[in-house]
Amino acid sequence: MPPEPVLPPVLSQAHRWVERALSPGDLAIDATVGNGRDTAFLADRVGPTGLVIGFDVQQSALAAASARLVELGLSDRVRLVRSGHERMAEIASGLAPGRRPKTVVFNLGYRPGGDRAIITRPETTLQALGAALDLTLPGGVVAVVCYPGHEGGAVERDAVLDWARTIPTTRAAVVVHQVWNARLAPCLVGISPHETKPRP
Ligand code: SAH
């Protein structure tokens, strides 16, 4: 394997953040399953005692992801749900009552190799991000990869960045990881909720 670059690309950086947050036995959510790469990564990290809930609106995405998980022997700890991620809170509380995720991962845009007309949309993405921020345990991370290259992608990235900027510093740490010298490079946003102190 070639050595990891000093400045890793966005997906490796997202995985590093997630890796740091996750422990065996945790609950993790993949908000955009797509081909299931992130789902498999999360399933590996939560281990046999953990649980991953994955959302996608496309049956073809869930089928591709399911095949990957079976092949890797990871399907026992994953629940794939055909639903928009904007229903994350309600569905997660049904599948994992009383549990909160340590991480929620979003990989926006269209599914590589799939129908490029089916993309995530700012309105539902922002609803889901709000839910993810509320659900994620303190010290965990919401990781969002935005792709400005496709139609509507730059608008969605800007909506995510604008929303992330409004999060009070007392509520969460918010970090942006961005290749600066390439046009239309993807952008990674990390949001790590703080412990909320009870008011005196
Ligand atoms: N752009 C990424 C992969 C994104 S896959 C890359 O290049 O690697 C994004 C997935 O989000 C698609 O499979 C799509 O079906 C799914 N999606 C679109 N809207 C959604 C929604 N509201 N809730 C959950 N998944 C959604």
Side-chain angles (χ1 to χ4, degrees):
M1 285 252 282
E4 265 261 292
V6 174
L7 301 176
V10 291
L11 284 178
S12 315
Q13 185 60 38
H15 284 186
R16 284 181 175 192
W17 288 346
V18 164
E19 221 162 21
R20 206 172 288 181
L22 273 184
S23 304
D26 280 342
L27 171 64
I29 295 180
D30 186 348
T32 50
V33 166
N35 293 320
R37 282 183 191 276
D38 289 338
T39 324
F41 178 79
L42 297 171
D44 180 57
R45 298 303 147 144
V46 299
T49 59
L51 177 65
V52 180
I53 302 174
F55 294 91
D56 206 293
V57 290
Q58 288 188 77
Q59 190 53 43
S60 56
L62 297 179
S66 178
R68 178 187 297 268
L69 293 164
V70 169
E71 195 181 324
L72 294 169
L74 295 168
S75 54
D76 56 330
R77 65 201 77 159
V78 180
R79 302 286 169 272
L80 296 176
V81 186
R82 186 171 181 189
S83 164
H85 42 217
E86 55 281 8
R87 294 182 55 214
M88 174 186 309
E90 165 202 346
I91 291 170
S93 74
L95 290 175
R99 290 176 73 184
R100 293 172 62 191
K102 203 67 188 292
T103 190
V104 184
V105 173
F106 291 77
N107 203 339
L108 302 175
Y110 58 83
R111 179 167 77 91
D115 184 345
R116 290 190 174 208
I118 304 177
I119 54 173
T120 52
R121 309 262 169 199
E123 196 186 316
T124 38
T125 298
L126 291 189
Q127 274 179 43
L129 284 172
L133 173 58
D134 287 345
L135 285 172
T136 301
L137 285 165
V141 70
V142 181
V144 192
V145 183
C146 307
Y147 296 85
H150 64 275
E151 209 184 320
V155 171
E156 185 177 45
R157 175 203 54 197
D158 292 347
V160 170
L161 289 172
D162 287 348
W163 169 79
R165 201 192 279 282
T166 66
I167 300 169
T169 52
T170 49
R171 179 97 196 274
V174 180
V175 167
V176 176
H177 182 92
Q178 166 79 69
V179 172
W180 203 243
N181 56 349
R183 233 170 64 79
L184 303 180
C187 159
L188 167 66
V189 184
I191 303 153
S192 182
H194 297 310
E195 200 83 56
T196 44
K197 294 195 192 80
R199 284 165 195 273

